[in-house]
Amino acid sequence: MFQKTALLIISIAMSIASTAQEITLPLWPAGKVPNYQKTNETEKSDTTDIVRISKVQNPEIAVFIPSKKSATGQAVVICPGGGYGILAYNWEGTDIAKWFNSKGITAIVLKYRLPNSKSNIVPDKSPLMDAQRAIRLVRANADKWNIKMNRVGIMGFSAGGHLASTAGTHFDNGNAGAADPIDRLSSRPDFMILMYPVITMSKPTMHSGSRNNLIGQNASSEQAKFYSAELNVTKETPPTFLAHATDDNGVPVENSLMFYQALKDHGIPAEMHLYPKGGHGFGLALGIPETESWTDRCIDWMRSLNK
């Protein structure tokens, strides 16, 4: 009896594990990754406490799909943080995706290229290229993944929040004449979720590590302006949800405040939640009473978008 029960438990666990991450897809066709040059560099993964991925060579998406019956039609491309030096892949990626699935939301974890890799031709361009491609790729698979094409958002944590905000302020409607049908689709996210995001590339509120990794200490003023999301908000910027802890000693809360003000100035619907405690990198904030309600507020806000 014990043996049969043990086998049943193992079988159930294996079944759950096999369905948790349903699909992994490369972002780009083989041999056609833009802004890429072959080197002897190899991708690295450190699993000491959380999964930290660095030197990404093959950008891809991991797609988590809820049951068709519970699907809301919404999808979120998730950009893990890590200062543009690593990706906190499970803490701010797959863990978040599984939570979204429990709410009927399709979640797509983006393993994007990092600017400190030698395989980039122009270092700062690769992350945004990958984020834009991910949004197009999700739209291209909308029917298969129980998604509505006008409900595809982007989410980011810390430097991943910077990438998400960059994708939300620099996008296009697609190239109608592109040979690849995916490139004909819009890269504009329908909404943004920014968690303790890096926003600006200007002192004194910038996160110097993210800036140095992305554009370097000696970046031109034009380059710094391009990557300062608060300076690039327009009337076309998507609705945005922000959450930040005021005791964040990594990325100052002023980053979120600046972006919220820019959204407000341009008439963009925005919701911001500031928490007294949580520090930087709180993820799902489990066990942090002052902060863990952000998940409920986020889902409430996402549901309001469907009305």
Side-chain angles (χ1 to χ4, degrees):
M1 180 66 178
F2 174 79
Q3 187 175 16
K4 288 182 179 180
T5 303
L7 288 172
L8 178 61
I9 292 171
I10 292 170
S11 176
I12 292 171
M14 290 178 66
S15 176
I16 292 171
S18 66
T19 58
Q21 181 174 313
E22 296 190 1
I23 304 169
T24 301
L25 292 175
L27 269 183
W28 306 94
K32 295 185 178 181
V33 180
N35 197 44
Y36 175 83
Q37 58 189 356
K38 189 171 180 57
T39 69
N40 59 359
E41 196 173 60
T42 58
E43 187 170 305
K44 299 184 184 302
S45 182
D46 179 357
T47 59
T48 304
D49 51 356
I50 64 172
V51 177
R52 291 179 170 86
I53 298 176
S54 59
K55 310 297 183 185
V56 174
Q57 301 298 302
N58 299 301
E60 63 185 24
I61 55 174
V63 186
F64 295 74
I65 306 173
S67 66
K68 190 170 185 178
K69 186 175 181 179
S70 64
T72 66
Q74 286 180 312
V76 182
V77 173
I78 304 169
C79 306
Y84 282 119
I86 60 101
L87 302 179
Y89 191 74
N90 57 351
W91 182 252
E92 295 173 343
T94 55
D95 285 0
I96 307 299
K98 293 170 187 175
W99 162 68
F100 271 130
N101 266 193
S102 73
K103 304 298 181 181
I105 298 164
T106 299
I108 302 93
V109 182
L110 175 60
K111 188 175 78 171
Y112 57 93
R113 286 173 289 166
L114 297 161
N116 59 3
S117 170
K118 293 185 292 185
S119 61
N120 297 299
I121 296 173
V122 182
D124 64 283
K125 288 187 175 182
S126 291
L128 181 57
M129 285 180 170
D130 289 350
Q132 292 173 332
R133 175 70 176 188
I135 293 169
R136 298 189 217 273
L137 188 57
V138 171
R139 288 201 167 105
N141 288 279
D143 289 343
K144 295 178 186 176
W145 299 345
N146 307 324
I147 297 166
K148 294 184 179 180
M149 289 186 69
N150 63 346
R151 293 185 181 178
V152 179
I154 193 165
M155 178 186 205
F157 295 77
S158 190
H162 180 265
L163 177 55
S165 67
T166 305
T169 50
H170 296 289
F171 50 80
D172 60 65
N173 293 322
N175 179 2
D180 185 344
I182 294 172
D183 288 336
R184 300 171 196 165
L185 299 172
S186 171
S187 66
R188 179 186 181 274
D190 294 301
F191 58 89
M192 292 191 288
I193 302 169
L194 307 179
M195 302 298 302
Y196 40 89
V198 174
I199 291 293
T200 190
M201 291 288 150
S202 300
K203 294 180 180 179
T205 53
M206 70 180 188
H207 180 248
S208 58
S210 295
R211 175 189 162 116
N212 292 344
N213 282 333
L214 182 64
I215 59 177
Q217 292 180 324
N218 300 315
S220 67
S221 58
E222 292 79 10
Q223 200 174 19
K225 181 179 178 181
F226 181 90
Y227 285 112
S228 292
E230 81 280 7
L231 302 179
N232 293 284
V233 174
T234 70
K235 63 180 182 179
E236 301 300 324
T237 302
T240 303
F241 176 96
L242 298 113
H244 216 128
T246 54
D247 67 346
D248 190 330
N249 293 321
V251 176
V253 70
E254 284 77 9
N255 280 264
S256 286
L257 295 171
M258 292 168 68
F259 196 62
Y260 179 83
Q261 186 64 55
L263 294 167
K264 183 174 178 291
D265 290 345
H266 287 80
I268 305 301
E271 180 170 320
M272 179 169 61
H273 293 271
L274 304 180
Y275 298 94
K277 294 183 180 179
H280 187 68
F282 52 73
L284 287 170
L286 300 178
I288 307 176
E290 298 88 348
T291 313
E292 62 183 354
S293 65
W294 81 259
T295 53
D296 294 330
R297 303 292 75 77
C298 181
I299 293 299
D300 290 343
W301 178 79
M302 291 180 70
R303 287 172 177 161
S304 75
L305 299 176
N306 293 337
K307 296 179 180 178

